[in-house]
Amino acid sequence: MIKKQAVFAATLAALVLASSAYAQDTPVASDASVFVFNTTLFLISGMVVMFMAAGFCMLEVGLVRSKNAATICVKNIALYSIAGIMVWLFGYNLIYGVAEGGVFGTLKIWGADDADALGTGYAASADWYFQMVFVATAASIVSGTLAERVKLWPFLLFVAVLTGFIYPIQAGWVWGAGFLDARFDDFAGSTLVHSTGGWAALAGALVLGARKGKYEGGRVHPFPGSSLPLATLGTFILWLGWFGFNGGSQLALGTIDDAIAVAKIFVNTNMAACAGVVTALALTQLLYKKVDLTIVLNGAIGGLVSITAEPLQPEIYQTILIGAVGGAIVTFAVPLLDKLKIDDVVGAIPAHLFCGIWGTLIVPLSNKDVTFFGQLTGVVVIGAFVFTASMLVWLALKYSMGIRANDHDERIGLDKSELGLEAYPEFVST
Amino acid sequence: MIKKQAVFAATLAALVLASSAYAQDTPVASDASVFVFNTTLFLISGMVVMFMAAGFCMLEVGLVRSKNAATICVKNIALYSIAGIMVWLFGYNLIYGVAEGGVFGTLKIWGADDADALGTGYAASADWYFQMVFVATAASIVSGTLAERVKLWPFLLFVAVLTGFIYPIQAGWVWGAGFLDARFDDFAGSTLVHSTGGWAALAGALVLGARKGKYEGGRVHPFPGSSLPLATLGTFILWLGWFGFNGGSQLALGTIDDAIAVAKIFVNTNMAACAGVVTALALTQLLYKKVDLTIVLNGAIGGLVSITAEPLQPEIYQTILIGAVGGAIVTFAVPLLDKLKIDDVVGAIPAHLFCGIWGTLIVPLSNKDVTFFGQLTGVVVIGAFVFTASMLVWLALKYSMGIRANDHDERIGLDKSELGLEAYPEFVST
Amino acid sequence: MIKKQAVFAATLAALVLASSAYAQDTPVASDASVFVFNTTLFLISGMVVMFMAAGFCMLEVGLVRSKNAATICVKNIALYSIAGIMVWLFGYNLIYGVAEGGVFGTLKIWGADDADALGTGYAASADWYFQMVFVATAASIVSGTLAERVKLWPFLLFVAVLTGFIYPIQAGWVWGAGFLDARFDDFAGSTLVHSTGGWAALAGALVLGARKGKYEGGRVHPFPGSSLPLATLGTFILWLGWFGFNGGSQLALGTIDDAIAVAKIFVNTNMAACAGVVTALALTQLLYKKVDLTIVLNGAIGGLVSITAEPLQPEIYQTILIGAVGGAIVTFAVPLLDKLKIDDVVGAIPAHLFCGIWGTLIVPLSNKDVTFFGQLTGVVVIGAFVFTASMLVWLALKYSMGIRANDHDERIGLDKSELGLEAYPEFVST
């Protein structure tokens, strides 16, 4: 009896040891390491996505006239801050409190539940941070389109509604496992973030109208940006941030497979932007006999938005195609919007809305689990909701407090009228 | 006998295996992973804190008049470099060479002791790097306050003393486990870094006096900053860097608990800044009927400094309160300093000194291990030391080589007088 | 028999357990963790090196006259994008397809081979990304030297050849384990990246000639940069990126030894830059009685380039010596080039070529496995190849499509002539 027990115990020990040795042959990070890697991915990605707020600010500040530059700065730092508070108060649980297949999340202030964290494999706060900076990104997109004529406070009120409610509701439909999740795929947010920002901007532009003189006499009058170097800096910052935007959306880094996935996403993100730039460069040279820097910058952004719906699956040649079409969309859509007399100061609607749609619809090219019809459904449903909801908010703001600076204020610039100062008080303007 | 041995060995084996299996249920990263995670936290955090030097530079360069902008650039890149050399020569071992409960560290050039590294759980060089960039931050604070009138070389000499001796001595009292450590808590340096910079700046401002004409005729004359977009960029860079500043101060990332802590710190850091911005936005609108961009930017910094003494413990609503008060302090203290005729060009004293004190004193709200009296002791002792020591150095510099540009040089700007060039030579100034 | 087996099994189990316990005493991260750490090092380092493209852009945009600033922006975003595509099409496998001791790699489009990844210990895509941003860096160097007179499209064609062929061929000789690898050491690319960029720039400057009026009447006419704050920002961004440039070149982070190495590299990188700044500061004060900001900025870069060939081995005092000589080289070589009438708009040749040579030749000081003769061989062989190949390409471009803007275009500025716009359309220029 004792002998048998000894043999059994020893055999068991040897078996367990053997399986343990086997487990060491198949490399698996420890649970704790996986947790820390995942959390670190959220935090580092979140940091560079947060810095995209500076990128949008510099892009916009460089593309507006100097008399509106300080207002852009106020808007961009304020919208990020409002987004932070609204996502805490309402947004997060509207996204992630959705029942599976449901429509609305819960109205509950967010609090880090660290008990949950152990189950999800990352710190709850890291996830919240990463989601919050995404919401701010959508709001940043709106800022640029409406520049030079929208009043500060109505804009900030719109931002509060967008970041607290409109964005979170539609994001819950997909990322919160709501009713669109089963049929629709948007890896890092071509539709959920960029088109959402774009639709909100489009609604605002329609309600707000064009800047005075922009389409006077049936012609398009260019209002050149005051600092192309700052616009370029902003684009580089956005490009940098996009590695976190797309890479972080893998949501995990702690296994070999996840690390390989994040690395592939980095390469695809980079190549889509490269392709967007080169396409815009070549097309503007061919069309206008001169390279157009503003369109080249938007070409980078267009490429980046286009790959955002699926930055993991495409082969590089597919990525280059996707990004190049993004660059082409921007090149052709910027003058098209002007023909429609939709005044989009920085070209955000082509880059974020149109390229967002393109990027979402082309996902089936590389991801066979996704259907064109499913993607179209998501684009239409989310587009209809965000555009309608934004339109209603803009109209409500228009007919309550007014959203547009008066002619005098617009002429002297919002910096003087809204802020009582100048962005560059010493530099003489033409 | 043999049987018994067999049973004993097998049982032991099974027991050890069982405990080993249990250990795997409680996830613990391997020692090596913990070491690498901790080291990585220092390095990545250090990188973004290093980049805060660029943030301070842009903030200051945007808030001075263009005739002094190039001098700001020289000062900021030079002070960081001097800090690096002084922390290597003197600073590090003055901080960490303190005996437990002691006052002074050792005068010894720093060298990486990798044998130590294995004991501490992180690479010694990573720790040195992280500490060095903190010291540079304190010096950056001084630069802004004294802009537009301090001479370059005396300023750099002051920086050498500050970064080599004044900062390290007081930091050793707390972070070096010196005599204040037992009763005083300053997680990431509201007092040790920010107030220290603020006290040094205040002493300098008092010795140096206000800029010519600033308070002429009993009124406060505004000298608007030359580039608010660059000041805004600088603020965003500082905000970015602060995630490393506070998050890295957890000093460890390799366990689940540490990862959760760092993530919480990121969220609190972010929310305090958001609250500071929103508060400054609302208050300047209420007080002046117009939003004041410069104060909004300082509101972000005020919120960030306020949470720096304890970014881990507060609930988010507490964080928002702490940051909001920081934003309010900045809003009210900027005009207050002007009433006292203390000329602080960029508002660094309100943001770093006053908010640093506030943040330190409010720690007991969320951290029950800390007493208000203990915090007050630390604020007073460190404040008295840094202010007195700085005052002595400024006075010594004043009466030896002189610290202030003469009236002619101040009028034409330090760029021409100190550097013989212009920051923006082509742009016509008003 | 059974007893003996039991004893044997139990003893074996105990032994294995003991050795397993021993293994836990010697901390080793799991294979998966090592893989993820290594991959993360490439990705994060790659991100900040990518951001160096923004740094070069800002440095150059600040050092050219405003009439050429937008062209600099186009060039910098375009060259990065072209580099991305060329490294994918040709570059990567030209570097890493070299047979051991060979000369040329293979002409093969790159594709991520994840099977390989498991063998190398990092994700193949992460490595590609890291290499790609290095190649872009070399191209950025050329841009600055040739500013204000080179035509856009010939420059971009040169970039395509440089990034697709010239850089990869010589990089393969060392990093691809080609014929120079055994005798020549260049840790992060003082020669392979920085001198290569510098040689290509020098060849271009010689073929292109100086800007109109630069050396008129036998005197050197200064053409002051239009925005020293942006140039300073660019330098800070480069400094930030250099932590990734040198730190990432350790190529591994997953063990305690690697983490210690990366941390040492961070410190040395930082201290070399500090030493370069302080040296340039002191030397320009001594030589010209005034600090020269442009040279101080180049002093930082000179220090960084100098330590890039061996950022791991030097003691800190050696690092400071190496960086300080870098700062001195820049200080003396900038006027020297002017004497030779080689017009290098941003000082890239002194900072990247001369300091690259210095940094490479001084490696034996700290790394005893390396000989001065071996280093000299590498410098000469690579220099001869890159300079000759670049010269041939520049000459081919000159005599086919022309590389230089005509006098009229140069006078009105490339922004108007090449792009049809202005970088700062509202700011009146002197």
Side-chain angles (χ1 to χ4, degrees), chain C residues 306-307 310 313-323 325 358-372 375:
Chain C
S306 300
I307 202 64
E310 183 50 271
Q313 299 297 336
E315 300 290 321
I316 291 186
Y317 75 90
Q318 294 173 321
T319 294
I320 287 177
L321 172 78
I322 292 167
V325 173
W358 155 249
T360 307
L361 295 181
I362 197 64
V363 172
L365 175 72
S366 62
N367 185 336
K368 298 305 175 198
D369 296 340
V370 172
T371 66
F372 176 80
Q375 296 301 92

Side-chain angles (χ1 to χ4, degrees), chain B residues 120-132:
Chain B
T120 56
Y122 47 76
S125 298
D127 171 48
W128 184 88
Y129 175 64
F130 188 65
Q131 303 304 331
M132 185 256 124

Side-chain angles (χ1 to χ4, degrees), chain A residues 283-306:
Chain A
L283 279 179
T284 56
Q285 176 72 34
L286 290 172
L287 292 170
Y288 310 120
K289 310 295 169 214
K290 293 202 189 281
V291 167
D292 184 319
L293 173 56
T294 306
I295 292 187
V296 169
L297 299 179
N298 269 313
I301 298 170
L304 289 161
V305 171
S306 301

Side-chain angles (χ1 to χ4, degrees), chain C residues 99-115:
Chain C
E100 209 178 302
V103 180
F104 293 107
T106 49
L107 272 176
K108 211 179 83 181
I109 294 175
W110 175 80
D113 188 342
D114 292 329

